[in-house]
Structure formats: structure tokens, C-alpha cells
Amino acid sequence: MSAARLALIDDQEDVRKALAEMLGVFGYKVDTYPNADAFLGGEARPACVISDVRMPGLDGIGLVRKLAVSPLNAPVILISGHADVPMAVEALKAGAFDFIEKPVDDVKLVASINRAL
């Protein structure tokens, strides 16, 4: 069985690198993107998408809405360092699979990815 391919979208390079390295240790194949537009402009077909909420250009909730009407049927886990309850509710109503606050707890993120897959 091959490892699941994930798309990781975050405008902070250090966050992308750290999360990609951690997820790689857990056996996932991770493609990273600096923003939602870069992800949408590619040919990626990930099994799951992990995206920051607040980014320049299309934000994470907008990405969830866009993917909901696209042929890519991948669950989206949103992460945010500036989360509040209304934001989390909006994300889940938009169709996000999960919403996790930064700093991201490795165990919570991996458990969420496993449930999503």
C-alpha cells in the first residue's frame, strides 16, 4: 500500500517545512504550496488537503468553498493561529473536515488526517 499524498498550504515557509517534515515521518507524501492559488494552479490530486485559514489571496475558507464545487473530492483540514469560534463554525459550515488551532498538535493533526482518509 502506498502512502497517502497530502497537499499542505501555508504562506509561512517555516510552518510548511516543519509540518511537511513531521508528516513525512508519519509516512505521508507531502506536496507544499505557499498559497491556495498555487495549489489550484497545479495538477495535484491529493487524498487530503491541509490549509492555513489566513493567507494572501484566496483564504482557507474560500478554498474549501471552491473545492466543494470542483472535481477534486478531497477533505480539507484547516489550521489557524488566529482562530475564534465564529471562524471555526464558518469553516465547518463551508465544508471543512476539521479545524485545528496553531501551534498544531502533531497527534491531533495525524488523527484528523487518518479520519479524513
Side-chain angles (χ1 to χ4, degrees):
M1 182 168 94
S2 63
R5 182 165 297 281
L6 308 176
L8 174 62
I9 308 163
D10 198 299
D11 60 318
Q12 296 179 328
E13 185 177 4
D14 56 334
V15 172
R16 279 196 317 271
K17 285 182 178 182
L19 287 176
E21 184 177 316
M22 180 272 295
L23 292 168
V25 168
F26 282 95
Y28 298 107
K29 294 178 182 174
V30 185
D31 298 315
T32 62
Y33 303 89
N35 56 56
D37 295 318
F39 166 71
L40 292 169
E43 299 294 321
R45 294 285 177 239
C48 183
V49 176
I50 299 114
S51 177
D52 191 13
V53 174
R54 292 191 179 172
M55 300 178 288
L58 185 65
D59 69 8
I61 295 173
L63 174 65
V64 169
R65 289 187 177 116
K66 194 163 196 149
L67 290 177
V69 296
S70 80
L72 177 62
N73 189 21
V76 180
I77 298 167
L78 292 177
I79 58 176
S80 179
H82 308 283
D84 56 27
V85 172
M87 179 189 291
V89 169
E90 181 182 4
L92 295 173
K93 282 184 175 180
F97 180 82
D98 203 353
F99 190 96
I100 299 173
E101 288 184 276
K102 289 179 182 176
V104 175
D105 179 291
D106 299 356
V107 174
K108 285 183 183 178
L109 180 58
V110 169
S112 184
I113 292 167
N114 287 337
R115 284 192 311 272
L117 296 175

